Amino acid sequence: MQDVAAPYDYARREVREPSALGTDLYGPTYAALDLGTNNCRLLVARATHEGFRVIDAFSRIIRLGEGITSSGRLGEPAIARAIEVLRICRDKMRNRGVTRARLIATEACRQAQNGEAFLDRVREEVGLSLEIVDRETEAMLAAIGCTPLVDPDAGGAILFDIGGGSSEIASLGRPRATRRGPPEPAMQGWTSLPVGVVTLAERHGGISVTREIFEAMVDEAAHHIAPFASEQRKHRINGHLLGTSGTVTTIAGVHLGLKRYDRRRVDGCWMMDDEVTEVMERLLAMSYDERVCNACIGAERADLVLAGCAILEAIRRAFPSARLRVADRGLREGMLVQMMRADGVWREAGTS
């Protein structure tokens, strides 16, 4: 599930053969990098008339925020892992001829006492300049990236992004159609929870998770969700859940019985409420070793997946819905859309 993803079309949600790439691409080559608490992810893309096509992708779990809950600082082993992976991303961008990029850091760098010092070191050693974005920006970028998956026949969606150090939730209305390019989000409200899979697992434990531990994690997440859920109930949202993160893509992969993670089957797939429950019950019943051996979880997520499930369960209880749509997309796609829109690439395509 890690390292390299196949090229894919953002608008059509389908993987293209390498021979088919480039036939209708135009404009600059863009890159979007998201350095999170748990993962470092990169996309390189070029515009198409409907959206963009990813021509290179990279993702690796680095656990940058490991131990930050207790120390308040980024540890040296985590920094070394991040710098190694950022060098790989830098080389990929150079090899692809990237001319326009946005590189962001999220909760781990927001929270760490040495977050800015770490980014200074990245500039000196790797030659990349990352910006620390606030939680509102993170929520908006996820909304931009995931809006094409909002069911246009529904009243909207509750979008959630379960991260390593924080989790964002946004209330979305019906997407606003555009003449060219992807639809625009109609964000009606948002919140950020100061909990993610890494922080919850470090506080409660992620290797041996009993029902009692799981419910304690659910209660902690629910406490942070409650004020936002109370406010959003006034709007009587008649929509569906829309989830982006390793937690929901893992749950979808387990539900589909994938022998190997396949983005084509996961991104955009629907799960009914009872199907989500069934998968989470299966995960709770698994031992740590069984989670490690599952092809859609593996050793890198085995101690984090139940913390993610607990946050998801708190969201489901706050926003009951018959359907969940799974998104293998989010911040990076949002950054790409935002840059391309700012550059007028689809406006130019419409007048050419």
Side-chain angles (χ1 to χ4, degrees), residues 63 115 166 217 311:
R63 301 203 181 202
S166 69
M217 290 192 286
I311 297 171

Side-chain angles (χ1 to χ4, degrees), residues 64-66 68 71-79 108-109 111-116 118-119:
L64 179 61
E66 189 172 58
I68 198 171
S71 70
R73 297 178 62 82
L74 303 177
E76 187 56 37
I79 288 173
C109 291
Q111 191 179 15
Q113 298 168 14
N114 58 339
E116 291 286 358
F118 161 66
L119 295 188

Side-chain angles (χ1 to χ4, degrees), residues 201-270:
E202 287 186 352
R203 267 200 289 276
H204 296 272
I207 293 177
S208 178
V209 181
T210 63
R211 177 75 61 176
E212 291 72 25
I213 291 172
F214 182 77
E215 287 297 331
M217 290 192 286
V218 173
D219 288 345
E220 182 174 343
H223 169 74
H224 296 293
I225 294 170
F228 180 70
S230 177
E231 179 64 29
Q232 293 306 307
R233 286 190 195 105
K234 299 174 185 176
H235 300 301
R236 298 183 180 180
I237 299 166
N238 181 27
H240 60 88
L241 293 177
L242 174 57
T244 171
S245 68
T247 295
V248 288
T249 56
T250 296
I251 286 172
V254 172
H255 167 65
L256 294 168
L258 300 181
K259 301 299 183 185
R260 182 180 179 183
Y261 185 79
D262 185 348
R263 184 187 188 277
R264 292 171 296 184
R265 295 189 61 189
V266 170
D267 185 52
C269 79
W270 288 97

Side-chain angles (χ1 to χ4, degrees), residues 266-323:
V266 170
D267 185 52
C269 79
W270 288 97
M271 293 183 67
M272 302 305 292
D273 186 62
D274 60 341
E275 293 173 332
V276 179
T277 298
E278 190 271 335
V279 172
M280 292 207 292
E281 289 295 328
R282 282 170 57 191
L283 295 176
L284 262 173
M286 286 182 185
S287 67
Y288 172 74
D289 289 339
E290 287 171 331
R291 297 196 300 271
V292 168
C293 291
N294 187 284
C296 292
I297 304 172
E300 292 180 318
R301 292 190 184 276
D303 62 336
L304 302 176
V305 66
L306 288 173
C309 287
I311 297 171
L312 172 56
E313 180 59 21
I315 293 168
R316 293 172 69 214
R317 293 178 189 179
F319 300 99
S321 176
R323 300 183 301 159

Side-chain angles (χ1 to χ4, degrees), residues 34-37 104-111 132-133 138 331:
D34 167 24
L35 180 65
T37 302
I104 68 168
T106 57
E107 186 65 20
C109 291
R110 282 196 295 259
Q111 191 179 15
I132 299 175
V133 297
E138 195 170 349
L331 295 182

